Amino acid sequence: MNVPTFQDGVASGFIAVTNPFDGAEIGKIADIPPESAQMLIQAARDGARVCRNLSRYERARILENCASLVDRDKEAFAALIVSEAGKTLRQAQKEVLRCVNTLKLSADEARRNGGEVVPFDAYAGSEKRQGWFSREPLGVIVAITPSNDPLNLVAHKLGPAIAGGNSVVLKPSELAPLSAIRLADYLVAAGLPPNIVVVANGGAALGEALVSARDVRMVSFTGGFVTGEKIARAAGLKKLAMDLGGNAPVIVMSDCDLEDAVECCVSGAYWAAGQNCIGTQRILIHSDIYERFKGRFVALTQSLKVGDPALPDTDIGPMITAQAAKQTARVVNDAIRLGAKLLSGNILDGAVYAPTVLEDVDFGCDLWRQEVFGPVVVLQRIESLDEALALANTPEYSLHSGIFTADLEVALKAADALEAGGVMINDSSDYRFDAMPFGGFKYGSLGREGVRFAYEEMTQPKVVCIRRAIEKRPEAQ
Ligand code: NAD
């Protein structure tokens, strides 16, 4: 069975994909209606039977071939990310190299992570038993991805799923689906049999029909909280992985390297125009260095070049839509109405929103408590580490955090106390390595990504236990 497209009448129409910077149409995708969800899942069920029977060597070879093909065409992939997601060229190039790495790590997992011997004889009563557990595929996985990393976040779902012998119905963001579609094509070119990856192009209604289907064994979702809650309600009894948003705090103590801290925090706050789940949103700065940090942070922010992401010297491109930029301005203006002081930015031009710095933000407002997911950062004066830790932990969810200090004891105390899935020491919150466990703490976080960890979520252990007739091994000769 072939993947349905709007050309063969399965889709009701199409969705135009536009460049967020200039609004130019750069492609069209099928708009598959929810009524076709079952057909897509049936195709993926066929694919799941094929994938589970591929040897680990074959799965690894396909993933490695695909990594080589993406690497060969890295400039074309980067250009596509720039035009559909508005990332700058430098950011897009980095994303493509990370995707190559994610695919290679997935191949390693297929080769390496096949199961373990179970030491049954370690406990009384099981001396006659011998055996192992293997890592078996789950079957059909529905993967739903967001617009901000349109290639590498897709690789983080497809790579581990294929390594584990599953099939995937992939619903990429309808705002930036083209890199995902191209990656699926490249996997086929690398030798992946049909229907192991089924691309489901469409919007929220299609996504909801897919996640609620009974034949789906797992939903792996990356996106916002509101969508995550809807998916959790619709999915029913099946495994869920939820990679949701953040509102990252970074603590800056007075003994740090100030210049380095400013540079790292500027990069961490504005990477991908702030549309970054681990982007730095709140910087908690010791009062001894607050004014100096603020002066340099604002000056560096104002030196950034904002505009066309395709130009090599642009630092900050557009947000994904003009509506997203407007929503960011609304959250900032609400904070200003509640007393926040604007230090820079808050200028809206279509989808481009100038990098924005505020101080004296009310702790009750959305800008402090919720994820802003735009190029906005809050500076907050603190008098002690304890005060910083308490403020850092106020939001009900969290992903990453950071601390700048020269004092190891202070760094380790922060690492213990920060309620986050990752604590970056002498770095902003915006660091991720594709092999490390990645995910959130507190509300909404379910499971971990990072290739090994996603692979383990996407497989299930099967125990094989042999009852032997003898209790003791023969005497050594
Ligand atoms: P979003 O939640 O609006 O959309 C994500 C995906 O969900 C899209 O493919 C969309 O079509 C689909 N969708 C929307 N409604 C649905 C429904 N009812 N049922 C099923 N699918 C539905 O998110 P976005 O704006 O594309 O991305 C931004 C969010 O993603 C931010 O909150 C960001 O922090 C988060 N994010 C998290 C990570 C992570 O790894 N933790 C990484 C990147 C982005």
Side-chain angles (χ1 to χ4, degrees), residues 39 49 62 80 147 179 258 261-262 266 286 300 314 341 424:
M39 185 186 293
R49 275 192 291 277
I62 291 162
L80 189 58
S147 58
S179 307
L258 190 93
V262 169
V266 164
H286 196 276
L300 192 52
T314 298
K341 187 169 153 205
M424 305 302 132

Side-chain angles (χ1 to χ4, degrees), residues 22-97:
D22 58 16
E25 187 174 308
I26 54 169
K28 277 190 176 75
I29 57 164
D31 186 7
I32 300 175
E35 303 79 63
S36 299
Q38 205 47 51
M39 185 186 293
L40 301 173
I41 287 162
Q42 184 52 48
R45 287 183 69 187
D46 296 345
R49 275 192 291 277
V50 177
C51 197
R52 68 169 298 119
N53 287 320
L54 292 178
S55 66
R56 287 179 173 274
Y57 161 71
E58 284 171 303
R59 295 177 211 162
R61 187 182 53 83
I62 291 162
L63 290 163
E64 269 160 4
N65 282 348
C66 186
S68 304
L69 294 176
V70 174
D71 192 41
R72 183 196 68 191
D73 294 346
K74 51 184 174 285
E75 290 309 324
F77 268 103
L80 189 58
I81 292 172
V82 171
S83 63
E84 72 170 339
K87 274 185 151 177
T88 66
L89 192 55
R90 192 166 47 93
Q91 293 164 355
Q93 285 165 336
K94 185 170 173 192
E95 183 177 343
V96 180
L97 292 181

Side-chain angles (χ1 to χ4, degrees), residues 144-148 153 171-174 202-204 207-208 211 221-225 227 230-231 243-246 276-277 371 373 399 432 438:
I144 299 186
T145 51
S147 58
N148 61 322
L153 288 179
K171 202 208 81 57
S173 167
E174 62 277 35
E208 214 153 317
V211 303
F221 173 68
T222 302
F225 279 91
T227 313
K230 284 186 191 155
I231 288 175
D243 282 280
L244 308 176
N276 175 6
C277 57
E371 174 184 52
F373 209 60
L399 267 176
R432 178 180 182 186
F438 182 74

Side-chain angles (χ1 to χ4, degrees), residues 275-428:
Q275 299 160 111
N276 175 6
C277 57
I278 51 174
T280 301
Q281 184 169 328
R282 296 170 298 138
I283 309 178
L284 310 162
I285 308 142
H286 196 276
S287 59
D288 289 352
I289 55 163
Y290 184 83
E291 291 302 329
R292 273 198 297 147
F293 184 97
K294 178 170 101 178
R296 285 178 207 196
F297 191 91
V298 170
L300 192 52
T301 297
Q302 289 173 346
S303 74
L304 297 174
K305 192 164 171 236
V306 183
D308 186 348
L311 299 176
D313 59 343
T314 298
D315 298 301
I316 302 184
M319 295 189 64
I320 188 69
T321 57
Q323 200 192 347
K326 233 185 196 164
Q327 164 65 9
T328 304
R330 190 190 64 70
V331 174
V332 167
N333 288 327
D334 283 352
I336 292 170
R337 264 191 294 281
L338 284 172
K341 187 169 153 205
L342 181 69
L343 300 173
S344 192
N346 196 22
I347 302 160
L348 190 59
D349 178 11
V352 176
Y353 185 70
T356 297
V357 191
L358 299 108
E359 66 178 352
D360 298 335
V361 170
D362 187 278
F363 297 153
C365 72
D366 281 358
L367 184 53
W368 183 268
R369 293 171 53 238
Q370 306 292 335
E371 174 184 52
V372 65
F373 209 60
V376 180
V377 69
V378 170
L379 306 186
Q380 173 63 38
R381 185 190 298 265
I382 47 107
E383 301 298 334
S384 68
L385 178 63
D386 287 339
E387 184 193 359
L389 292 171
L391 287 175
N393 288 336
T394 47
E396 65 166 345
Y397 49 77
S398 79
L399 267 176
H400 272 194
S401 57
I403 179 161
F404 287 87
T405 178
D407 186 329
L408 185 61
E409 285 304 323
V410 168
L412 293 179
K413 181 173 173 182
D416 278 343
L418 285 166
E419 295 165 350
V423 179
M424 305 302 132
I425 295 173
N426 288 327
D427 205 346
S428 83

